Amino acid sequence: MTALAITAITLTGCLPPPYEAEPASVYQWQRRQDGIERREAERVRLCAIMNKDTERYRRDCTRPGDPVR
């Protein structure tokens, strides 16, 4: 029984993220896009005030295709 419980706990890390349904209406799509734009604007704002020599800046503020510093 203990082995079964341990196996179940370890396998939960292998599961894909929970399913997120695509929006069905125009209103839902607009809310989704607005949320994406808000998160990106916040990321850009935080990156503008962050120290550019830190590991956090390299992790959170660089995008694929950005020039390597």
Side-chain angles (χ1 to χ4, degrees), residues 7-56:
T7 303
I9 291 170
T10 57
L11 288 178
T12 57
C14 299
L15 295 175
Y19 174 74
E20 187 174 315
E22 290 291 320
S25 70
V26 173
Y27 175 73
Q28 290 172 332
W29 274 104
Q30 188 60 47
R31 284 190 55 201
R32 177 180 178 269
Q33 290 305 113
D34 291 344
I36 292 169
E37 288 174 7
R38 273 194 309 276
R39 285 190 302 272
E40 180 63 15
E42 180 67 9
R43 185 193 71 79
V44 168
R45 186 187 71 79
L46 290 174
C47 290
I49 61 175
M50 196 180 298
N51 182 357
K52 293 175 178 33
D53 296 328
T54 62
E55 180 61 33
R56 182 177 177 194

